[in-house]
Amino acid sequence: MAESICRALRDGALEGELAPALTIKDSVASPFALQVFSHVLSQLFSSILAGKSQSRGLVVVSFSRSPSFYLDLLKNKGTDIASSNKQIQILDCYSDPLGWKDQLAGSRNFTALSNEVLVSSTAIVFREVKHMDKLYNSIIELGKGLVGGGKIRFSIAIDSTDLHDYLMIPCRSCLLSDQISSIFWLLHSDLHEARVTAVLEYLSSIVASLEPSHQLANGQRGDLENFSLIKHNSKKGKFHVRFKKRNGRSEEVHIDSQLSTLHLCHLKEQLIRVLCQRKIDVDWGRKQQLLKELGLKEQMDAPSCAGCKSLS
Amino acid sequence: MAAAKTRTSTFSRNLSTAAPSHGPGLKCGPNGTVFLSSGIPDLDKILGGGFPLGSLVMVMEDAEAPHHMLLLRNFMAQGLVLGQPLLYSSPARDPRGFLGTLPSPAASKDDKSQERDPDQEKGLRIAWQYKKYFGESQLDGQRDSKHEYSNEFDLRKPLERHFINGPRIDCVSIQDCPDLSTLRDRCATFLSQFPRNDGSISCAGRIAIQSFCAPQCAYSNMEWDMLSFIRYLKSMVRSSNSVAIITFPPSLLSPSFCKRWQHMADTLLSVKAIQDEDKELAQLLTGYQDMVGFLNVHKVARINTQVPVILEATTFSIKLQKRRYLVLECLNQAPVDGSSGTSYGTSGGWSSSSKTGNLDF
């Protein structure tokens, strides 16, 4: 499943169509979106380096993690950052998003942290996160700096939208730009109003959501009964992906997996195994619900229905 | 195919004088209303003739699938083919580009209807679907006059250039508009061409507004402004000879505004995506493989009357026959055969659990 997501981002945008946009969504009950985001990021970057993707450069907009996190991540995956300067740029909205350190430095001779200097060739500090237009322009300029003008495209990764609800504005503007090959963002659904989540899902062509494998009874964490569920949820979760297809049908895949160790490359094998093993039983309750939604009357009573499991 | 049962009660208006003749693409309906076609013959039948002039149609989109575009394409193409002026607005930068995707009228309706029959399985499947043929046989005599009112559209064939480059087509982009005043003025200018007065109607207009509250539009946060625009448009359309259709994604509105917008509509439809490879749906419904989505009819416009429309069915499947022709069909539940454990048209999901015991009577 993760492979098909990475493939969709790698293939990029067709002429005259919007670029594929991925939303990675999680909640406090299953906070695994960062692992998925990191995996997708490293996969996309390796295909960019190998020349296998439509996009020729990657701009990472980092809000909740420092640029060095991403550089270390890519280094651990085996990519040589020093030589790949021309293919990745990080817009650092983590170190000083509102320009406070700058103001302090001006007034008190405050020296900047030394590690900022190390990453300065690939990361550019951005200090005006409140201004959406400037943010959007900086992202596009960084991208153009990587790939030049013309028809060559680049990809954008936005690491967290939780800083500001209005971040959906640059997300939307980036998506409409002609030079984008693909774009993906990370969304913590608990931190936003439902409308913001709905807008970002509306704009994306792929929505990958991480859900807990067991829903907690009443959402309260202090309960002893729920404790084992919480413990279980901290290691396992459901990875649920929705693709919006051009023919108007949407594809949904649902899989339980052990996400803490995050061997995402094994997800595909697990998925195939799960689907083969799964018996196709029609749950009577689900059938009633489906019939009701479709406005059809019940065809027959529950007990006489062949294949029905729950008999009173 | 569904046909709406129009209730003729003793209270229907008796038209003693001959009905005034109207321009092309218009049809008289009950209670003094005049219809224009939606561009989808099945939908016209479901709604009792078409969209009444002076009504506001709203379509609730599904963010997962672009089916509302299918409805819009047919609506707009029908208007252009009949020479009815069109105002189209969308959040794209260049809305005129969308006109290039409009479909052309299908070559010959007779060929198409004959080809439908071999597609159906013979034998017992017909027993379940006899209702469809029962309704269709009554329409044979009316095919010729129908072309002056509505056409079947071939989605794979683009509309000819001379229709798209006509003088009476206006396109508005709402992407960069900070507020709705531009759109409102354009609508007002457009609708002033079709004032309503007693007598024959020479020409009717069509307005199509796509994805009205899409996030690309700068005004998409201004919910009260959008609502007052819809109210304004509804009142202008009611006093003119035109039909306006607005599509919007309901998930992007707050629940109370979503309800308000739905109340504004004279005719309210919604489209829904269908899951690919949904085995439960495949077992429940016949013809699941050909379906691309669902259409729900929530409200049907009734102007000049207090008699409500009660439809036989409100949910229809959207199918693309031969990937060309848009058809709407009633949903038919797949028959379940308890004794043999297999159901028609699906691959035996039921059989696995019915092996434990056959039903003996």
Side-chain angles (χ1 to χ4, degrees):
Chain A
M1 217 10 69
E3 311 314 316
S4 45
I5 294 175
C6 296
R7 203 179 324 124
L9 294 179
R10 197 181 64 213
D11 293 341
L14 292 176
E15 196 62 48
E17 288 196 7
L18 286 178
L22 165 68
T23 297
I24 302 171
K25 187 174 84 159
D26 72 357
S27 62
V28 72
S30 61
F32 305 118
L34 178 64
Q35 283 95 323
V36 178
F37 181 84
S38 312
H39 175 82
V40 173
L41 181 79
S42 50
Q43 292 284 84
L44 182 62
F45 190 58
S46 20
S47 10
I48 290 173
L49 283 181
K52 286 186 189 161
S53 71
Q54 187 200 45
S55 104
R56 291 277 173 263
L58 177 64
V59 175
V60 181
V61 185
S62 69
F63 282 96
S64 47
R65 268 148 205 106
S66 82
S68 47
F69 171 83
Y70 292 106
L71 297 173
D72 291 338
L73 170 80
L74 295 173
K75 225 179 283 180
N76 291 339
K77 299 280 179 182
T79 38
D80 184 10
I81 293 298
S83 64
S84 58
N85 254 354
K86 296 288 176 205
Q87 273 135 334
I88 184 167
Q89 283 288 309
I90 303 179
L91 190 66
D92 178 6
C93 303
Y94 170 82
S95 312
D96 192 15
L98 298 170
W100 291 350
K101 281 186 192 162
D102 236 14
Q103 291 172 16
L104 282 172
S107 62
R108 279 194 221 166
N109 294 326
F110 187 88
T111 48
L113 292 170
S114 57
N115 60 1
E116 281 184 24
V117 176
L118 289 172
V119 302
S120 62
S121 57
T122 29
I124 311 237
V125 182
F126 186 75
R127 295 191 170 88
E128 291 168 296
V129 156
K130 282 197 288 191
H131 299 118
M132 295 297 121
D133 293 336
K134 285 189 184 165
L135 178 61
Y136 164 68
N137 289 332
S138 309
I139 298 173
I140 297 295
E141 268 170 35
L142 269 185
K144 282 189 180 159
L146 280 177
V147 302
K151 298 251 172 186
I152 307 178
R153 298 179 187 239
F154 61 97
S155 297
I156 302 178
I158 302 180
D159 94 337
S160 176
T161 58
D162 56 57
L163 191 65
H164 203 314
D165 264 0
Y166 288 105
L167 261 174
M168 66 176 172
I169 299 173
C171 288
R172 178 245 300 165
S173 311
C174 289
L175 185 59
L176 295 175
S177 162
D178 291 336
Q179 272 201 289
I180 304 298
S181 166
S182 56
I183 181 169
F184 58 106
W185 45 69
L186 196 159
L187 176 68
H188 300 299
S189 56
D190 300 316
L191 298 176
H192 295 286
E193 285 182 16
R195 187 175 175 262
V196 174
T197 315
V199 167
L200 288 171
E201 287 188 21
Y202 177 84
L203 293 173
S204 8
S205 50
I206 312 170
V207 178
S209 46
L210 291 131
E211 290 153 17
S213 42
H214 299 282
Q215 292 292 343
L216 296 180
N218 50 8
Q220 287 180 16
R221 297 176 65 93
D223 212 337
L224 269 179
E225 286 171 10
N226 286 333
F227 185 71
S228 57
L229 285 178
I230 294 169
K231 209 169 147 193
H232 192 259
N233 283 345
S234 65
K235 294 205 184 100
K236 277 192 160 208
K238 285 189 202 162
F239 187 47
H240 188 202
V241 182
R242 257 185 355 246
F243 290 86
K244 293 182 198 174
K245 289 159 92 165
R246 218 171 273 121
N247 65 358
R249 286 186 160 212
S250 63
E251 197 183 315
E252 224 175 84
V253 185
H254 211 116
I255 179 174
D256 269 308
S257 98
Q258 193 124 17
L259 287 167
S260 59
T261 49
L262 203 70
H263 292 301
L264 275 170
C265 49
H266 296 314
L267 272 182
K268 194 174 177 185
E269 285 78 9
Q270 283 187 26
L271 173 66
I272 295 168
R273 202 167 3 107
V274 161
L275 283 180
C276 290
Q277 284 172 5
R278 189 177 139 209
K279 265 194 179 175
I280 303 159
D281 268 332
V282 177
D283 181 64
W284 180 249
R286 166 104 172 108
K287 185 182 180 196
Q288 289 301 300
Q289 194 204 339
L290 273 172
L291 286 176
K292 200 170 143 195
E293 279 171 19
L294 298 169
L296 296 169
K297 295 202 186 99
E298 288 174 33
Q299 211 174 20
M300 53 188 88
D301 295 326
S304 59
C305 164
C308 146
K309 283 186 82 172
S310 61
L311 296 171
S312 51
Chain B
M1 274 191 288
K5 279 187 191 151
T6 46
R7 287 207 184 159
T8 48
S9 68
T10 51
F11 300 103
S12 59
R13 182 183 286 188
N14 286 327
L15 293 168
S16 50
T17 54
S21 62
H22 297 301
L26 298 171
K27 186 167 84 170
C28 283
N31 310 314
T33 51
V34 180
F35 289 116
L36 56 73
S37 171
S38 60
I40 305 167
D42 289 344
L43 186 59
D44 288 342
K45 257 186 242 128
I46 293 165
L47 297 176
F51 294 141
L53 283 189
S55 68
L56 176 67
V57 181
M58 296 189 77
V59 179
M60 296 196 283
E61 303 172 16
D62 186 347
E64 305 281 313
H67 298 318
H68 58 282
M69 306 294 271
L70 285 174
L71 299 183
L72 277 178
R73 278 198 191 97
N74 283 269
F75 177 76
M76 288 163 61
Q78 183 71 78
L80 294 183
V81 158
L82 293 170
Q84 291 167 342
L86 172 70
L87 172 70
Y88 170 59
S89 135
S90 96
R93 199 155 285 155
D94 180 27
R96 215 158 248 278
F98 181 64
L99 298 180
T101 66
L102 295 184
S104 185
S108 165
K109 204 167 183 248
D110 292 311
D111 291 340
K112 195 191 126 275
S113 59
Q114 272 163 25
E115 278 171 63
R116 262 196 213 182
D117 291 324
D119 287 342
Q120 308 282 358
E121 275 177 30
K122 297 285 160 62
L124 284 169
R125 194 188 262 260
I126 293 178
W128 285 93
Q129 295 173 343
Y130 72 92
K131 246 199 230 176
K132 284 201 281 188
Y133 299 114
F134 186 77
E136 195 177 318
S137 61
Q138 292 168 3
L139 297 170
D140 284 342
Q142 297 168 18
R143 236 168 240 156
D144 291 328
S145 58
K146 269 190 104 174
H147 280 289
E148 292 174 4
Y149 175 69
S150 78
N151 296 78
E152 194 88 41
F153 286 94
D154 182 349
L155 291 162
R156 281 199 161 175
K157 211 169 107 188
L159 195 57
E160 284 152 42
R161 283 275 131 195
H162 68 268
F163 285 121
I164 299 171
N165 296 330
R168 302 177 86 181
I169 303 171
D170 197 7
C171 292
V172 185
S173 167
I174 44 179
Q175 191 183 97
D176 295 320
C177 294
D179 58 26
L180 288 159
S181 50
T182 326
L183 183 60
R184 193 188 309 153
D185 293 338
R186 297 283 276 271
C187 289
T189 323
F190 181 78
L191 290 171
S192 60
Q193 301 170 59
F194 321 104
R196 182 173 283 211
N197 44 34
D198 294 329
S200 65
I201 303 164
S202 56
C203 201
R206 295 178 185 234
I207 294 182
I209 299 178
Q210 182 217 312
S211 301
F212 185 48
C213 58
Q216 295 95 308
C217 307
Y219 59 78
S220 56
N221 282 328
M222 299 153 59
E223 292 186 311
W224 281 112
D225 289 35
M226 291 194 283
L227 181 64
S228 56
F229 171 83
I230 294 174
R231 200 182 288 128
Y232 177 77
L233 181 68
K234 179 175 172 158
S235 63
M236 285 206 297
V237 161
R238 189 58 70 94
S239 56
S240 71
N241 289 321
S242 55
V243 171
I245 185 168
I246 301 181
T247 74
F248 68 98
S251 56
L252 302 188
L253 293 171
S254 57
S256 58
F257 273 93
C258 192
K259 273 287 165 207
R260 289 185 175 104
W261 285 34
Q262 290 174 40
H263 275 292
M264 285 273 113
D266 293 314
T267 301
L268 181 64
L269 308 172
S270 70
V271 286
K272 265 203 112 50
I274 201 168
Q275 295 295 337
D276 227 357
E277 309 292 327
D278 187 336
K279 295 191 167 48
E280 286 169 350
L281 270 184
Q283 287 167 17
L284 273 179
L285 304 170
T286 50
Y288 163 80
Q289 286 78 7
D290 304 320
M291 294 181 196
V292 295
F294 294 121
L295 174 88
N296 268 71
V297 180
H298 298 275
K299 219 201 281 188
V300 178
R302 294 302 270 170
I303 299 180
N304 299 340
T305 175
Q306 300 243 359
V307 179
V309 170
I310 299 174
L311 299 175
E312 273 181 0
T314 55
T315 309
F316 302 91
S317 61
I318 303 174
K319 290 188 183 178
L320 289 178
Q321 277 200 344
K322 299 186 188 305
R323 296 196 201 169
R324 287 171 179 256
Y325 311 110
L326 185 67
V327 294
L328 300 173
E329 288 182 357
C330 265
L331 298 178
N332 290 310
Q333 271 182 265
V336 176
D337 185 352
S339 51
S340 71
T342 52
S343 62
Y344 306 107
T346 63
S347 51
W350 294 82
S351 57
S352 56
S353 34
S354 70
K355 273 186 188 133
T356 46
N358 286 333
L359 296 172
D360 287 322
F361 293 100

